[in-house]
Amino acid sequence: MLNLVLFGPPGAGKGTQAIFLAETFNLVHLSTGDLLRQEIADKTELGLMAQEIMSKGELVPDSIVISMIEVKLKNPNNGFIFDGFPRTTPQAQALDSLLEKHGTKVSVMLCLEVAKEELISRLLNRGLSSGRSDDTDPATIENRINVYNEKTAPIISFYESQGKYISIHGVGTIEDIAVSLKRAIENIPI
Ligand code: ADP
């Protein structure tokens, strides 16, 4: 099985590239952001709680996102692509143990590298059409990037210590970045 963690700051292009990689390698695409937005759209109790946290650019509690992923770990096709998860070290540890229970593991973590100024301009631009309130307010965007640097980026060393961290230059055309990701995946030693 091929299990990919697609990683990077908000606005790095994870969602766009995850859709491409899921199709290319026949993987199930699991995005915790999409799953949470579905809860909000369905007006569930969880959705109401998540909405408030997400609108401030903070992280939803680990236990919630871990449970959301846990129930989706079935019918893997050729594997899974995790987009926006894990976002904290406890989430990364939980993913390892969940996959172990299924007799599999994370193959690699692909990190899309994009500078802060570019992220801010991409997110504000996306906010014009996405209808996502967390993409329109500059203070929320700033907070999301700070939360990424403080709580999420430390996961890099978690995967680096397992020899699974691959850095990908995330600036250029969508097609160019897709090619870099595809090449990196094709070169994973089996
Ligand atoms: P982006 O990567 O552009 O910030 P996402 O759709 O991945 O967009 O996430 C949107 C928001 O959803 C995050 O800012 C956070 O509040 C919440 N969220 C998504 N995934 C997680 C996660 N794994 N852990 C905690 N919160 C999450």
Side-chain angles (χ1 to χ4, degrees), residues 144-160:
R144 283 160 68 198
I145 296 173
N146 291 341
V147 167
Y148 171 81
N149 288 328
E150 282 164 28
K151 301 196 173 142
T152 306
I155 303 182
I156 290 172
S157 55
F158 178 88
Y159 288 108
E160 205 168 22

Side-chain angles (χ1 to χ4, degrees), residues 3 29 65 74 93 98 142 170:
N3 297 308
H29 176 202
V65 287
K74 48 191 173 197
Q93 288 163 338
L98 287 173
E142 181 84 25

Side-chain angles (χ1 to χ4, degrees), residues 10-11 14 32-34 36-37 54 58-60 65 84-85 87 91 123 126 132 134 144:
K14 299 184 294 292
T32 40
D34 287 351
L36 289 164
R37 280 185 288 278
M54 289 163 76
E58 296 294 329
L59 295 181
V60 172
V65 287
F85 179 90
R87 254 176 159 98
Q91 290 181 25
L123 290 168
R126 183 169 78 184
R132 277 179 58 171
D134 59 344
R144 283 160 68 198

Side-chain angles (χ1 to χ4, degrees), residues 7-182:
F7 195 81
K14 299 184 294 292
T16 309
Q17 298 295 343
I19 293 168
F20 162 78
L21 293 175
E23 269 178 29
T24 306
F25 294 99
N26 191 25
L27 306 173
V28 174
H29 176 202
L30 294 180
S31 156
T32 40
D34 287 351
L35 293 170
L36 289 164
R37 280 185 288 278
Q38 188 59 50
E39 296 284 333
I40 294 173
D42 293 344
K43 298 193 163 56
T44 63
E45 204 175 314
L46 167 60
L48 286 174
M49 191 264 267
Q51 185 165 33
E52 202 182 321
I53 298 170
M54 289 163 76
S55 69
K56 290 188 234 154
E58 296 294 329
L59 295 181
V60 172
D62 288 337
S63 57
I64 290 178
V65 287
I66 292 166
S67 311
M68 292 178 104
I69 288 291
E70 187 171 13
V71 298
K72 297 281 179 187
L73 287 184
K74 48 191 173 197
N75 311 322
N77 292 346
N78 196 29
F80 296 97
I81 179 161
F82 299 96
D83 158 12
F85 179 90
R87 254 176 159 98
T88 62
T89 303
Q91 290 181 25
Q93 288 163 338
L95 180 60
D96 276 2
S97 53
L98 287 173
L99 289 176
E100 199 183 327
K101 271 190 216 154
H102 287 80
T104 186
K105 55 187 168 34
V106 170
S107 308
V108 284
M109 181 258 235
L110 299 145
C111 180
L112 292 169
E113 314 279 356
V114 179
K116 184 174 174 183
E117 287 64 37
E118 169 77 10
L119 296 172
I120 294 174
S121 92
R122 286 187 191 180
L123 290 168
L124 285 170
N125 199 32
R126 183 169 78 184
L128 298 175
S129 57
S130 70
R132 277 179 58 171
S133 62
D134 59 344
D135 284 345
T136 45
D137 175 24
T140 303
I141 290 177
E142 181 84 25
N143 192 40
R144 283 160 68 198
I145 296 173
N146 291 341
V147 167
Y148 171 81
N149 288 328
E150 282 164 28
K151 301 196 173 142
T152 306
I155 303 182
I156 290 172
S157 55
F158 178 88
Y159 288 108
E160 205 168 22
S161 69
Q162 298 184 24
K164 292 180 179 176
Y165 164 66
I166 300 177
S167 168
I168 302 281
H169 183 59
V171 183
T173 66
I174 290 176
E175 292 75 19
D176 286 347
I177 298 160
V179 168
S180 307
L181 286 163
K182 190 164 172 274

